[in-house]
Amino acid sequence: MTKKKIMFIGRSGAGKTTLTQALSGVDLQYQKTQYVNYHEYIIDPPGEYIEDKQFGFALALYSYEVDAVGFLIAANEPFSLYSPCCTALTNREVVGIVTQINHPDANPALAAQWLRLAGCERIFFIDSVTREGLDGLIAFLTGEKPEKCGKLTASGGNETKKTTKTNK
């Protein structure tokens, strides 16, 4: 089975690292990303790479190493960093990922609208803590049916594992 490699792009606090942890099946813990984290199937750059235009070129370079780009936006964000039709600037498939969908201030419909405006045709709604919506993203990355998905593994299969959020 061929797995797609994906790079997550989103502002600080959008949930890129938490989503990476949830997809990997490890216990969730807050960890500020200080540098570009490479995982077997995921590239997780710091949010500052999209927030500061001087780092934008690095995102373009990293996108050449992946099969897909995931634009993340938290459902409780007050604005979008993505310009209209900005997905046209990459030669990789760009999917939208709305995170933190169960946050008390969440507005997933507005976040999805911003991602569609950016050019994302496929949008996933995810809560990394409860694992809600993860199966759809895993199915996209692995080519499997959502009901057979659990976590991305290096061994070729998928394993199901519940995760919990810990404070450290």
Side-chain angles (χ1 to χ4, degrees):
M1 163 182 42
T2 303
K3 295 177 188 163
K4 292 181 184 177
K5 188 170 189 173
I6 191 167
M7 176 175 64
F8 294 140
I9 298 175
R11 69 184 203 117
S12 296
K16 299 176 301 296
T17 301
T18 304
L19 178 57
T20 298
Q21 292 171 351
L23 286 170
S24 300
V26 300
D27 288 340
L28 303 182
Q29 56 183 321
Y30 176 76
Q31 174 183 335
K32 170 65 181 115
T33 303
Q34 298 294 328
Y35 51 87
V36 177
N37 289 316
Y38 279 86
H39 303 273
E40 189 167 1
Y41 298 103
I42 302 168
I43 297 178
D44 175 18
E48 289 80 6
Y49 277 48
I50 193 169
E51 295 169 353
D52 190 329
K53 67 181 181 179
Q54 71 180 350
F55 296 120
F57 71 92
L59 291 174
L61 292 174
Y62 289 119
S63 73
Y64 293 119
E65 298 182 33
V66 297
D67 303 303
V69 175
F71 279 8
L72 270 75
I73 188 165
N76 61 333
E77 289 188 27
F79 59 89
S80 173
L81 291 176
Y82 305 113
S83 301
C85 301
C86 65
T87 61
L89 300 174
T90 182
N91 62 357
R92 303 293 189 256
E93 181 175 7
V94 180
V95 297
I97 303 170
V98 179
T99 59
Q100 303 175 31
I101 59 172
N102 293 319
H103 188 280
D105 298 326
N107 189 343
L110 179 60
Q113 183 178 353
W114 287 333
L115 290 169
R116 283 189 196 90
L117 185 61
C120 299
E121 295 179 10
R122 186 181 309 204
I123 298 175
F124 299 94
F125 296 86
I126 294 177
D127 184 317
S128 297
V129 175
T130 65
R131 298 188 57 82
E132 182 179 344
L134 277 182
D135 282 351
L137 182 57
I138 292 171
F140 167 73
L141 295 172
T142 62
E144 291 189 10
K145 293 183 179 180
E147 62 272 8
K148 294 185 177 185
C149 298
K151 70 172 184 171
L152 288 176
T153 64
S155 62
N158 289 314
E159 300 171 10
T160 302
K161 178 182 178 185
K162 290 236 179 218
T163 59
T164 57
K165 188 164 189 153
T166 58
N167 295 322
K168 288 192 178 184

